[in-house]
Amino acid sequence: MGEKQFNQIIKEGFSSLSPGQKRVAEYIKGHMDEGALHTAYQIGKKAGVSETTVIRLAYALGFSGFSDLQEKVRRDWLENKQASQTEVSAAIDTTEESQLFETVIQREKSILEQLLNQGSSEDLWVAVDKIVQADRIFIGGFGSSFAAAYWFYYSLRQLRENVSISTPTGFMPEDVSEFTEKSLVIVFSFPRYRNDSLKLVNSAKQQKAGVLAITNRQLSPVGQIAELTLTTEEQIESSHNSISSAITLLEVLIAGIHHKDEERISSRQQKLERIYANHGLFIE
């Protein structure tokens, strides 16, 4: 988990940018190769803004100038290029049956390598602290995003109390009516993005609850407005969203929670084991 990547810098400063600067930021974010190689004038023309707006974006994001911004984009692009080049989901040839499974595994491997490169240890520890310190946690995942949300809900219930979850199709206002500034909402949002995710984030913010988004990119709809955003496939261009990257990210969080809250977790798990034994829940 290295230094902060360009997409994270954009996410943190996005809300303060002018409309034109936002267009440039989104354009570079989606075209890192052009951002790494083209001039400010060329980028501005592609984004539909002036060269001056491109230069002002660099200053707005804390760079000393456009060349400084471009050098950061170039480093990130080159670091991620190798992993991105191995993304071959669009090239899977169903007629080559002997290579199909190997191709899928290689694709998943490239996604996990990208997850390692793009992550921020600081953000992960902030997320862990928020989860440990929250008085209650509500997990939201809608549609296909519910699968990863439920996995985390089930795992987190083994570690702490006061954890609840939405349904795959929505949530009730009563579910979030008792949130306070000490509560935490964790929203899973992967394409196609559901409106319920935005509704949940806005409901949480109205009650001053913390919001952690787990999504595929920093500038996804919930990624832009969440207090903290963790991403899975930031630089991978694919119509397929890997469940393995989401679960791996959650495994990292679980490991961090174990490290930070070991004593309380041990006490809870001992209590749960007694209950499981009394109910004869497991075969072994």
Side-chain angles (χ1 to χ4, degrees), residues 120-148:
S120 163
S121 294
E122 181 180 351
D123 284 348
L124 288 169
W125 283 119
V126 170
V128 166
D129 286 337
K130 287 181 178 296
I131 293 169
V132 170
Q133 296 168 10
D135 66 347
R136 66 183 64 202
I137 293 174
F138 185 81
I139 298 174
F142 310 102
S144 61
S145 299
F146 183 79

Short mmCIF file of all heavy atoms in Angstrom, two decimals, residues 120-148:
data_model
loop_
_atom_site.label_atom_id
_atom_site.label_comp_id
_atom_site.label_asym_id
_atom_site.label_seq_id
_atom_site.Cartn_x
_atom_site.Cartn_y
_atom_site.Cartn_z
N SER A 120 -4.46 2.44 0.01
CA SER A 120 -3.82 3.34 0.95
C SER A 120 -3.95 2.74 2.35
O SER A 120 -5.05 2.55 2.85
CB SER A 120 -4.50 4.71 0.91
OG SER A 120 -4.17 5.48 2.06
N SER A 121 -2.80 2.43 2.97
CA SER A 121 -2.83 1.88 4.33
C SER A 121 -3.51 2.84 5.30
O SER A 121 -4.24 2.41 6.20
CB SER A 121 -1.41 1.58 4.80
OG SER A 121 -0.82 0.56 4.03
N GLU A 122 -3.27 4.12 5.10
CA GLU A 122 -3.87 5.13 5.98
C GLU A 122 -5.40 5.06 5.93
O GLU A 122 -6.07 5.06 6.96
CB GLU A 122 -3.39 6.51 5.59
CG GLU A 122 -3.95 7.63 6.47
CD GLU A 122 -3.45 9.00 6.05
OE1 GLU A 122 -2.56 9.08 5.19
OE2 GLU A 122 -3.98 10.00 6.58
N ASP A 123 -5.95 4.99 4.71
CA ASP A 123 -7.41 4.92 4.56
C ASP A 123 -7.96 3.63 5.18
O ASP A 123 -9.04 3.63 5.78
CB ASP A 123 -7.80 4.99 3.09
CG ASP A 123 -7.70 6.40 2.53
OD1 ASP A 123 -7.55 7.35 3.33
OD2 ASP A 123 -7.76 6.56 1.30
N LEU A 124 -7.24 2.53 5.00
CA LEU A 124 -7.70 1.27 5.57
C LEU A 124 -7.75 1.33 7.09
O LEU A 124 -8.72 0.86 7.71
CB LEU A 124 -6.77 0.14 5.12
CG LEU A 124 -6.90 -0.27 3.64
CD1 LEU A 124 -5.76 -1.19 3.25
CD2 LEU A 124 -8.23 -0.95 3.38
N TRP A 125 -6.73 1.93 7.71
CA TRP A 125 -6.74 2.03 9.17
C TRP A 125 -7.81 3.00 9.67
O TRP A 125 -8.41 2.77 10.72
CB TRP A 125 -5.37 2.43 9.69
CG TRP A 125 -4.38 1.31 9.68
CD1 TRP A 125 -3.20 1.23 8.99
CD2 TRP A 125 -4.49 0.07 10.40
NE1 TRP A 125 -2.58 0.03 9.23
CE2 TRP A 125 -3.34 -0.70 10.09
CE3 TRP A 125 -5.43 -0.47 11.27
CZ2 TRP A 125 -3.12 -1.97 10.63
CZ3 TRP A 125 -5.22 -1.73 11.79
CH2 TRP A 125 -4.08 -2.47 11.47
N VAL A 126 -8.06 4.05 8.89
CA VAL A 126 -9.16 4.96 9.25
C VAL A 126 -10.48 4.21 9.22
O VAL A 126 -11.32 4.34 10.12
CB VAL A 126 -9.21 6.18 8.29
CG1 VAL A 126 -10.49 6.98 8.51
CG2 VAL A 126 -8.00 7.08 8.51
N ALA A 127 -10.68 3.39 8.18
CA ALA A 127 -11.91 2.59 8.07
C ALA A 127 -12.03 1.62 9.23
O ALA A 127 -13.11 1.46 9.82
CB ALA A 127 -11.93 1.84 6.73
N VAL A 128 -10.93 0.96 9.58
CA VAL A 128 -10.94 0.02 10.70
C VAL A 128 -11.34 0.74 11.99
O VAL A 128 -12.18 0.25 12.77
CB VAL A 128 -9.56 -0.64 10.85
CG1 VAL A 128 -9.45 -1.36 12.20
CG2 VAL A 128 -9.32 -1.62 9.71
N ASP A 129 -10.75 1.89 12.25
CA ASP A 129 -11.05 2.64 13.47
C ASP A 129 -12.52 3.05 13.52
O ASP A 129 -13.17 2.98 14.58
CB ASP A 129 -10.17 3.89 13.57
CG ASP A 129 -8.73 3.55 13.95
OD1 ASP A 129 -8.51 2.48 14.54
OD2 ASP A 129 -7.84 4.36 13.66
N LYS A 130 -13.06 3.46 12.38
CA LYS A 130 -14.48 3.85 12.35
C LYS A 130 -15.38 2.67 12.67
O LYS A 130 -16.38 2.81 13.38
CB LYS A 130 -14.83 4.42 10.96
CG LYS A 130 -14.26 5.81 10.68
CD LYS A 130 -14.67 6.30 9.31
CE LYS A 130 -14.14 7.69 9.04
NZ LYS A 130 -14.69 8.70 9.96
N ILE A 131 -15.03 1.49 12.15
CA ILE A 131 -15.83 0.29 12.40
C ILE A 131 -15.75 -0.11 13.87
O ILE A 131 -16.76 -0.47 14.49
CB ILE A 131 -15.36 -0.85 11.48
CG1 ILE A 131 -15.69 -0.52 10.02
CG2 ILE A 131 -16.02 -2.18 11.89
CD1 ILE A 131 -15.04 -1.45 9.02
N VAL A 132 -14.57 -0.06 14.43
CA VAL A 132 -14.37 -0.45 15.83
C VAL A 132 -15.08 0.51 16.78
O VAL A 132 -15.69 0.10 17.78
CB VAL A 132 -12.86 -0.53 16.16
CG1 VAL A 132 -12.64 -0.70 17.66
CG2 VAL A 132 -12.21 -1.68 15.40
N GLN A 133 -15.03 1.80 16.49
CA GLN A 133 -15.53 2.82 17.41
C GLN A 133 -17.02 3.12 17.26
O GLN A 133 -17.61 3.74 18.15
CB GLN A 133 -14.73 4.11 17.21
CG GLN A 133 -13.26 3.96 17.57
CD GLN A 133 -12.41 5.14 17.12
OE1 GLN A 133 -12.94 6.17 16.70
NE2 GLN A 133 -11.10 4.98 17.17
N ALA A 134 -17.64 2.69 16.17
CA ALA A 134 -19.06 3.02 15.95
C ALA A 134 -19.95 2.37 17.00
O ALA A 134 -19.72 1.22 17.41
CB ALA A 134 -19.47 2.56 14.56
N ASP A 135 -20.98 3.09 17.44
CA ASP A 135 -21.92 2.51 18.41
C ASP A 135 -22.85 1.51 17.73
O ASP A 135 -23.29 0.54 18.34
CB ASP A 135 -22.72 3.61 19.13
CG ASP A 135 -23.64 4.39 18.21
OD1 ASP A 135 -23.51 4.27 16.97
OD2 ASP A 135 -24.50 5.14 18.72
N ARG A 136 -23.13 1.73 16.45
CA ARG A 136 -23.92 0.78 15.66
C ARG A 136 -23.51 0.92 14.20
O ARG A 136 -23.07 1.98 13.77
CB ARG A 136 -25.42 1.00 15.83
CG ARG A 136 -25.94 2.32 15.28
CD ARG A 136 -27.42 2.46 15.55
NE ARG A 136 -27.67 2.53 17.00
CZ ARG A 136 -28.83 2.23 17.56
NH1 ARG A 136 -29.84 1.85 16.83
NH2 ARG A 136 -28.99 2.34 18.87
N ILE A 137 -23.68 -0.16 13.47
CA ILE A 137 -23.29 -0.19 12.06
C ILE A 137 -24.46 -0.69 11.23
O ILE A 137 -25.09 -1.70 11.57
CB ILE A 137 -22.06 -1.10 11.84
CG1 ILE A 137 -20.83 -0.49 12.52
CG2 ILE A 137 -21.79 -1.30 10.34
CD1 ILE A 137 -19.60 -1.39 12.46
N PHE A 138 -24.75 0.02 10.16
CA PHE A 138 -25.76 -0.42 9.21
C PHE A 138 -25.08 -0.64 7.87
O PHE A 138 -24.40 0.26 7.35
CB PHE A 138 -26.88 0.59 9.05
CG PHE A 138 -28.01 0.11 8.18
CD1 PHE A 138 -28.99 -0.73 8.68
CD2 PHE A 138 -28.07 0.48 6.83
CE1 PHE A 138 -30.02 -1.19 7.88
CE2 PHE A 138 -29.10 0.03 6.02
CZ PHE A 138 -30.08 -0.81 6.54
N ILE A 139 -25.25 -1.82 7.30
CA ILE A 139 -24.62 -2.18 6.04
C ILE A 139 -25.66 -2.18 4.94
O ILE A 139 -26.71 -2.83 5.07
CB ILE A 139 -23.92 -3.55 6.14
CG1 ILE A 139 -22.81 -3.49 7.19
CG2 ILE A 139 -23.36 -3.96 4.78
CD1 ILE A 139 -22.16 -4.84 7.46
N GLY A 140 -25.39 -1.46 3.87
CA GLY A 140 -26.32 -1.40 2.75
C GLY A 140 -25.70 -1.97 1.49
O GLY A 140 -24.58 -1.62 1.13
N GLY A 141 -26.44 -2.87 0.85
CA GLY A 141 -26.01 -3.42 -0.43
C GLY A 141 -27.24 -3.81 -1.22
O GLY A 141 -28.09 -4.53 -0.70
N PHE A 142 -27.35 -3.33 -2.44
CA PHE A 142 -28.59 -3.52 -3.20
C PHE A 142 -28.29 -4.18 -4.54
O PHE A 142 -27.26 -3.94 -5.16
CB PHE A 142 -29.27 -2.16 -3.40
CG PHE A 142 -29.40 -1.39 -2.12
CD1 PHE A 142 -28.53 -0.35 -1.82
CD2 PHE A 142 -30.35 -1.75 -1.18
CE1 PHE A 142 -28.63 0.34 -0.63
CE2 PHE A 142 -30.46 -1.07 0.02
CZ PHE A 142 -29.60 -0.03 0.30
N GLY A 143 -29.21 -5.04 -4.97
CA GLY A 143 -28.97 -5.79 -6.19
C GLY A 143 -27.80 -6.72 -6.03
O GLY A 143 -27.64 -7.39 -5.00
N SER A 144 -26.92 -6.78 -7.03
CA SER A 144 -25.77 -7.68 -6.98
C SER A 144 -24.77 -7.29 -5.89
O SER A 144 -23.98 -8.12 -5.44
CB SER A 144 -25.06 -7.71 -8.34
OG SER A 144 -24.58 -6.42 -8.67
N SER A 145 -24.80 -6.04 -5.44
CA SER A 145 -23.88 -5.59 -4.39
C SER A 145 -24.21 -6.23 -3.04
O SER A 145 -23.39 -6.18 -2.12
CB SER A 145 -23.94 -4.06 -4.26
OG SER A 145 -23.56 -3.43 -5.46
N PHE A 146 -25.40 -6.80 -2.93
CA PHE A 146 -25.82 -7.40 -1.66
C PHE A 146 -24.94 -8.58 -1.28
O PHE A 146 -24.75 -8.87 -0.09
CB PHE A 146 -27.29 -7.83 -1.73
CG PHE A 146 -27.81 -8.40 -0.43
CD1 PHE A 146 -28.17 -7.56 0.61
CD2 PHE A 146 -27.93 -9.77 -0.25
CE1 PHE A 146 -28.66 -8.07 1.81
CE2 PHE A 146 -28.42 -10.29 0.94
CZ PHE A 146 -28.78 -9.44 1.97
N ALA A 147 -24.39 -9.29 -2.27
CA ALA A 147 -23.59 -10.49 -1.97
C ALA A 147 -22.39 -10.15 -1.11
O ALA A 147 -22.16 -10.77 -0.06
CB ALA A 147 -23.14 -11.15 -3.28
N ALA A 148 -21.61 -9.16 -1.51
CA ALA A 148 -20.44 -8.74 -0.72
C ALA A 148 -20.89 -8.11 0.60
O ALA A 148 -20.25 -8.31 1.64
CB ALA A 148 -19.60 -7.75 -1.52
#
